[in-house]
Amino acid sequence: MRKISKKIVLLLVAVLMSGGTLAGCRPPKYEDTLKVGVTALPTNLMPYNSNADSATLIADLIYDALLGAETVPIGAGDADFKLPDGSVFTYLDGEVNPYKFTDNLLKAEGALPKVVGSKVGREDDYTPTASQRNTIINRKGFGSYTEEEKEVAVPSDNWIKYTFEIVEGQTWSDGTPFSAEDIVFTFKYVLNNAGSFGAQASLLGMYSHSEASEDGKYISIYLGSHKTSDIKTIGNSIHILPKHIWENINKPRNEKNVANPVGTAAYKLAENGYIEGSSVTLELRGDYNFIGKSVSAKPPKYISVVQYGSVDIMLNELNAGRIDTIYEYIEIAKAEQIKANTGLYGNIKLASVPDEFVTTLLFNQQEGRYGDDAFGGKGKVFRQAVGLAINQASLIETVLFGNGIPASDGLVLNNQPHALFDENGVYEQHKFDVAAANKLLDDNGFAVSGSWRKSPQGEAITVKILALQTNERLVQALHQLFEAIKVNFEYEAGDAQYPENIKTANGSKFDAIINKVTFVTDKLLMFDARYGFYATANPTPRLYNYAGIDDPTLRNLILIMDNTGDTLVQFERSRDVQRYLAGTYYELPLYSSNTVSAYSDANFKGWVPSECYKVLNDNTIKYIQSV
């Protein structure tokens, strides 16, 4: 047997220690390459792949959605703010364009109310056929609803019709012209293959049909609802497929799409660019039409996404200038270490930006846990007292090192246009009052015995909080807050599967969990996903209704909000939901944590940290230049 040389053995050892593969350590070399580190690469290049976080990045660089979205740079509101090219960021008018659409494959004007004499815009007067309406009723599982409920969920008249103009000059990366027929095909294909495209198919739940004009310059999209928010979901979230390729693929679940993924966006797969488990390298299209697009005149010629064994390895590579950014978010505790250790990480820059998610403490509402019937009918009083004891400012400082913002009791951040505000127009803040919390418990029979309170029935109370180990610092801080109201507290560390297990069991095995929610303007439907029930013969909580919350009043408020056509009125209905939800104390806000991205400007300049996005975002792609 031939002996392996000592040099090869050392190389293999180095590879194993770094957590990479031989191919991963030496991806193909390309000049003018922006290198992105990740801990996992997708196992295929399907445009709707979700088996790795990096799949979204790669798909967005190859494929387009119908409409773009406003990406707001951090500091854009400051008087001295300048973009890398010296210009000033201009906000879109939210009164005219509530969802802040920008042109992409379609011109954004088509999403706005139609004006007299225009070919494009929103119209609210389409009357569907019985077949069209029944298709959506059956797709959405509303068959068991009463006729009155069906009329609210899927109205029989005044459906919304959007007519868009196609942006001229679009081509697929194989040279085939883009057409409205590609959009018609994509929606039909996704719905016909819902088993393979489950998440995307659900986003098309209220989609009825679409029609291309004879000249191919316009497309009309019909939605089976009065909700203008549905176009946000469809317009920003679904990658459009080339009909001439995918109409020949009968089993998309089995399609890896790694040889030559064809899209309309700025990048395509480079030659030999896909190395499974190692790297994916994309090349700027030479025929790409930059007119009207949010891409600079000279973006990186190549973007290489490279897999590493851990975030720590990537941080070392980033500091050495061998990669330019890490796509995964950096844990806040780790970010603090980076800032404190300039000797080891001096070349790394961090972007800490506000996020749209609210971290919460969610109580189990199942019988015998912490529902309203607990403690002899005083479960709500107990939850309210815990809410009053939560000091968000303290949690943000001790847990997040200041990298966060408070959240309202309605679980919507105050930087959202539909956030709660009082009669004076001032945003409502979370109520924190330990003295009031203790008095509430005292007055309702939760007497102190020794060090801890007991229930009005004289039984010991121990709240068991289930959380991932990454939340251990938060749990420790919560323990101190519970001590302030003399409520005993236990922490149970959950493994990575616990959210999925709870989702399936609908809250049967926990007292409270650390959770996250987001109810931003384009995700108002998440209210129903979080607190709704499936419409079946024996209604059961939806999978995201972790606590099994069965509250008909809340569900009715959500249904009214969800089916309001006028966006600004819908925002007001959302406030009704928030006010009611805040008064139930089912789910208590803790804070909204910033997200932290790591990058280096050793090889590229022009990074633009932006609200709610990683540092590698649309603005960065637009302005970044090699050094």
Side-chain angles (χ1 to χ4, degrees):
M1 180 177 177
R2 186 178 177 183
K3 291 183 179 180
I4 300 176
S5 71
K6 183 177 180 181
K7 186 175 182 180
I8 295 294
V9 171
L10 289 174
L11 176 59
L12 287 169
V13 171
V15 167
L16 293 173
M17 289 179 67
S18 71
T21 63
L22 276 170
C25 287
R26 292 183 176 271
K29 291 184 177 181
Y30 305 91
E31 294 181 0
D32 190 21
T33 302
L34 178 72
K35 299 183 182 68
V36 183
V38 299
T39 54
L41 283 169
T43 56
N44 61 62
L45 297 184
M46 282 284 288
Y48 304 133
N49 187 348
S50 60
N51 64 15
D53 191 30
S54 58
T56 302
L57 168 65
I58 294 168
D60 285 345
L61 291 168
I62 296 175
Y63 297 92
D64 276 320
L66 294 179
L67 298 165
E70 180 182 60
T71 308
V72 180
I74 298 299
D78 298 342
D80 59 349
F81 176 81
K82 290 287 191 299
L83 288 162
D85 65 353
S87 63
V88 177
F89 178 81
T90 302
Y91 288 91
L92 294 174
D93 187 345
E95 291 291 327
V96 176
N97 186 356
Y99 296 117
K100 306 295 185 73
F101 291 125
T102 59
D103 292 355
N104 210 34
L105 290 174
L106 304 178
K107 292 187 178 181
E109 183 185 358
L112 310 182
K114 188 173 184 178
V115 298
V116 177
S118 176
K119 289 185 177 181
V120 302
R122 188 189 85 219
E123 301 172 89
D124 305 337
D125 58 359
Y126 177 73
T127 300
T129 65
S131 175
Q132 289 170 340
R133 182 168 181 256
N134 286 332
T135 294
I136 294 181
I137 288 173
N138 294 331
R139 180 193 301 154
K140 295 286 288 182
F142 296 146
S144 63
Y145 277 30
T146 65
E147 287 305 314
E148 184 178 0
E149 290 172 333
K150 287 179 183 177
E151 184 61 35
V152 174
V154 187
S156 56
D157 59 11
N158 295 331
W159 280 16
I160 297 178
K161 171 188 174 183
Y162 292 94
T163 301
F164 293 93
E165 184 178 358
I166 307 294
V167 173
E168 293 182 9
Q170 306 297 323
T171 62
W172 295 99
S173 56
D174 64 356
T176 303
F178 170 79
S179 76
E181 288 298 333
D182 292 306
I183 302 172
V184 176
F185 166 79
T186 296
F187 292 162
K188 186 179 297 184
Y189 188 76
V190 169
L191 287 170
N192 288 343
N193 292 277
S196 299
F197 303 139
Q200 282 67 35
S202 67
L203 295 176
L204 288 168
M206 300 306 292
Y207 168 79
S208 174
H209 62 287
S210 49
E211 299 170 341
S213 63
E214 289 187 8
D215 60 9
K217 294 182 178 181
Y218 299 89
I219 184 169
S220 295
I221 298 174
Y222 298 78
L223 303 181
S225 73
H226 298 158
K227 295 184 298 179
T228 57
S229 57
D230 281 332
I231 196 62
K232 176 77 172 178
T233 304
I234 293 173
N236 288 154
S237 304
I238 297 178
H239 292 121
I240 303 303
L241 304 173
K243 178 183 177 183
H244 64 287
I245 291 177
W246 288 87
E247 65 183 349
N248 301 313
I249 299 174
N250 297 320
K251 295 182 178 180
R253 185 189 296 273
N254 301 329
E255 178 61 37
K256 296 198 70 174
N257 198 38
V258 297
N260 182 29
V262 175
T264 53
Y267 286 83
K268 63 180 181 179
L269 188 67
E271 185 178 357
N272 301 318
Y274 180 82
I275 303 175
E276 188 169 0
S278 173
S279 64
V280 176
T281 300
L282 306 178
E283 180 181 2
L284 186 67
R285 290 173 52 189
D287 63 341
Y288 187 68
N289 177 16
F290 289 102
I291 298 175
K293 294 285 187 163
S294 60
V295 181
S296 68
K298 191 181 178 183
K301 185 174 181 181
Y302 297 96
I303 297 178
S304 190
V305 186
V306 185
Q307 180 172 310
Y308 291 89
S310 70
V311 170
D312 284 335
I313 294 171
M314 288 191 287
L315 287 171
N316 291 332
E317 294 291 285
L318 183 61
N319 191 64
R322 288 188 286 270
I323 61 175
D324 302 296
T325 187
I326 297 173
Y327 195 64
E328 279 89 346
Y329 287 124
I330 306 300
E331 292 182 10
I332 285 179
K334 187 67 177 181
E336 291 302 305
Q337 294 177 15
I338 293 170
K339 287 192 287 187
N341 196 340
T342 55
L344 186 60
Y345 299 119
N347 296 324
I348 294 178
K349 294 185 178 298
L350 298 173
S352 178
V353 304
D355 193 21
E356 61 187 24
F357 283 88
V358 176
T359 299
T360 66
L361 180 65
L362 173 65
F363 281 99
N364 195 338
Q365 301 300 300
Q366 301 293 306
E367 184 178 353
R369 295 286 181 169
Y370 287 86
D372 289 357
D373 57 348
F375 307 122
K378 295 188 176 180
K380 180 178 176 180
V381 169
F382 181 83
R383 299 194 307 267
Q384 181 181 2
V386 174
L388 287 168
I390 292 174
N391 185 344
Q392 291 196 31
S394 172
L395 292 176
I396 290 169
E397 189 59 38
T398 59
V399 179
L400 304 179
F401 304 95
N403 291 278
I405 57 176
S408 76
D409 289 323
L411 307 182
V412 169
L413 296 175
N414 286 343
N415 60 7
Q416 293 295 324
H418 59 300
L420 282 174
F421 51 84
D422 61 23
E423 63 275 8
N424 298 316
V426 178
Y427 284 119
E428 293 187 7
Q429 304 296 326
H430 165 71
K431 299 175 180 65
F432 164 60
D433 191 333
V434 172
N438 278 307
K439 185 176 187 305
L440 188 62
L441 292 171
D442 291 340
D443 292 348
N444 283 275
F446 291 89
V448 177
S449 176
S451 300
W452 309 110
R453 292 185 184 274
K454 289 189 175 182
S455 72
Q457 293 73 38
E459 298 173 348
I461 301 173
T462 300
V463 179
K464 295 181 179 179
I465 295 185
L466 183 61
L468 290 172
Q469 290 184 351
T470 53
N471 285 315
E472 198 162 315
R473 189 178 182 89
L474 170 57
V475 171
Q476 291 171 355
L478 284 177
H479 194 190
Q480 295 179 353
L481 301 185
F482 271 71
E483 283 183 334
I485 56 173
K486 300 186 184 305
V487 172
N488 200 12
F489 172 114
E490 286 186 5
Y491 162 48
E492 182 180 351
D495 61 25
Q497 294 301 311
Y498 95 77
E500 194 66 32
N501 295 337
I502 287 174
K503 186 165 65 175
T504 303
N506 289 116
S508 61
K509 298 179 181 179
F510 71 93
D511 290 345
I513 57 172
I514 304 298
N515 193 39
K516 281 190 173 184
V517 297
T518 178
F519 301 123
V520 293
T521 55
D522 58 325
K523 295 179 181 175
L524 292 181
L525 72 163
M526 286 302 296
F527 275 114
D528 183 51
R530 286 304 314 275
Y531 307 117
F533 272 58
Y534 287 113
T536 59
N538 296 302
T540 55
R542 291 174 66 102
L543 289 181
Y544 292 100
N545 188 353
Y546 300 131
I549 295 169
D550 186 1
D551 190 327
T553 300
L554 178 59
R555 290 205 298 276
N556 186 58
L557 287 171
I558 292 170
L559 187 64
I560 293 171
M561 176 209 68
D562 221 16
N563 289 282
T564 298
D566 183 279
T567 299
L568 297 181
V569 176
Q570 188 179 50
F571 287 173
E572 192 56 46
R573 299 291 176 265
S574 167
R575 295 186 184 100
D576 293 340
V577 174
Q578 294 172 58
R579 287 188 185 94
Y580 182 84
L581 183 60
T584 66
Y585 309 99
Y586 296 142
E587 192 158 13
L588 307 175
L590 302 177
Y591 50 64
S592 177
S593 171
N594 286 8
T595 55
V596 181
S597 297
Y599 65 102
S600 166
D601 55 11
N603 304 310
F604 288 88
K605 62 181 180 180
W607 300 86
V608 187
S610 300
E611 294 179 6
C612 299
Y613 288 96
K614 295 173 181 176
V615 72
L616 185 58
N617 54 59
D618 285 350
N619 284 327
T620 291
I621 293 293
K622 181 176 182 179
Y623 293 107
I624 201 167
Q625 299 287 330
S626 60
V627 174

